[in-house]
Amino acid sequence: PTVELQAPQLPPDAPQIIEPKREAAPVSPSVHVSAPAPEALAATAGRVLDTEGMPVAGVALGLRVSRGVRIGTELTSSILWDEELPLSREPIAHSGADGRFTFTRPATFSGYVVSQDPRWETVLGANAHDAEPILVVAPLFRLGGRVIDEAGAPREGVELVFVARRERLELAGLDLEGSRSNGWSTTSDADGAFAFERLPSVRGALLHVRLEPFERQEIAREEWHDDELEIVLAEPEGGWLEGRVESGGTALAGVTVTLGYRATETGPEGSFRLSLAGLETEHELCALARGLLPKRVLGDRNEDGSVRWPSFVRINLAGETLSLAGVVVNENGAPLAGHEVWLEDPGIAFVQGQGYAMLLETVLAGAPDMRLGSKTDEQGQFEIAALEERDYRLRLIDPATALLIDFGPFAAGTHDVRLERPANAFWPRLRGRVLTRPGTPLAGMRVSIDRDAGMVGVRDQYFGFITYGARTVTASDGSFELANVPRKGVTLHVHGSGIADPDLELDASIDPDALEVTVAASVQLHVRLGTSYPEATQFGVLDAAGKPLELRIPTEGGSMIGTSIALTESVSPVARLSDAGIALVLHDREGKELARIPITLQAGIVNTIDL
């Protein structure tokens, strides 16, 4: 299966937060002022459940603004909040005896329903835009403590992440596709002290503790309650690589030093120390400082692939970083403003600090991040600084249309780069209709264009980026029209209540004046085998043509998409798929087919298959 990654941002068609004006300017009596249009409202009705799927009554509920989902780290994924939990606000609602709640919210609100109750903490926040949002809560507890090293010295900057594992939640059969992990993390202060004021008491939850170069710890408890912990960090076993970074004989503090995926920073005397545990075959040591060319030092390989290093490595940084500059024009030579120009082939990626992947060039620029690029000005000009002395490929993105073109390579230091958009890059108009499989037109469906814009990461941590194009809503006859749609590389999506996104890849073979987009109904499937097929470890679903259908299950950071889903103790998570499925296929661990069972899928319910 593949993982659908969400970048830490919202798509342009997501509802945006509009802050109401709190003060009105004085108005002269002689001036007629129209009353502002009332803000559109929408109703939300959902449920509050505990971690065993039972309703929880009397929970004080609030709304919390979200700007996306953090994904792909090796610790956990969680909602990225725009604000602290608003405990001082009046609750928007309280759950009833059956756990149900209703309230009215601004239609533009983008965020989640959460608990702001002093007794209950959010485990999975409920998306306020879901048809029936499900908020999962657990009894609240407080956890504090102190982190020290083996010598008893306090350790500052230790990252602590509390993880409530989804597999330990007894929520089988529930639609949790829109529910996301609340996320709990903190760092220790100068005294090594840390505190979590609100944590959910979830069985089997984990506390991850990490600070390079110490061994990472995972503290697991079947039951969690108020407590104070003393956590002792231990250095990893094995060899160490030590050295010093300087420039012209002067020690450089705060320099990033990388080996493989791991990185550290030099201390006040320019010294660094990197554990070789797990990096025995990495042979390139690299030092990175803002504004200076990076320096690489290579180790000596042994016959078994391991690498030998000297007892002390001295690295001297010299020379200034280079840049690429130029202009972006259309097919007629006119400048194109507001276009993004990114490095298509940046240097090494590594993990440092809070565990996000970052790129070599962004460290050279003094702004560690996952991408490095620029945006064209009114004259179409751009410049990307902080580059190595090598050739680079550039990626041009039009954020208004999702057009993406790669150019190059260009030697760093070149300042007359010309990126020309080719002729006939777009269909000026793309007209079509959205129909159900029986041929009924669908009105009010959201039609949009997007495409993948690349992925950045290292090891098991990756972030995907998406660029968005035109969007519209279908008319009463299911018709739609989109302007300036790239002729290749983009995907057309259709979103609406009860339908499955067709994920239609567009190419030159389509008729841009009469595109028919057929969408299936979106249904849910839950499989429980009992003891019927003890060897079955996974299942898939076929349509009438015998084609495997895509199955989507919720994860912490988005959705897992594939044509087969694993069974845990003969039970599956709830999967979303097209209603075109007619056969459930069971497989063993080696992929051998064990059974093919006819099924009929209905919309509006969780289709549960008990065997």
Side-chain angles (χ1 to χ4, degrees), residues 489-501:
V490 297
T491 300
L492 183 143
H493 300 277
V494 180
H495 294 287
S497 178
I499 67 167
D501 182 2

Side-chain angles (χ1 to χ4, degrees), residues 515-565:
L515 177 64
E516 288 199 349
V517 183
T518 302
V519 298
S522 176
V523 297
Q524 294 173 279
L525 176 64
H526 180 48
V527 178
R528 298 187 297 205
L529 298 185
T531 59
S532 303
Y533 297 91
E535 296 180 356
T537 62
Q538 53 190 321
F539 76 92
V541 177
L542 305 179
D543 64 12
K547 177 185 176 182
L549 296 180
E550 278 194 346
L551 305 169
R552 181 188 299 259
I553 60 173
T555 65
E556 296 296 352
S559 298
M560 183 77 74
I561 304 173
T563 55
S564 66
I565 288 180

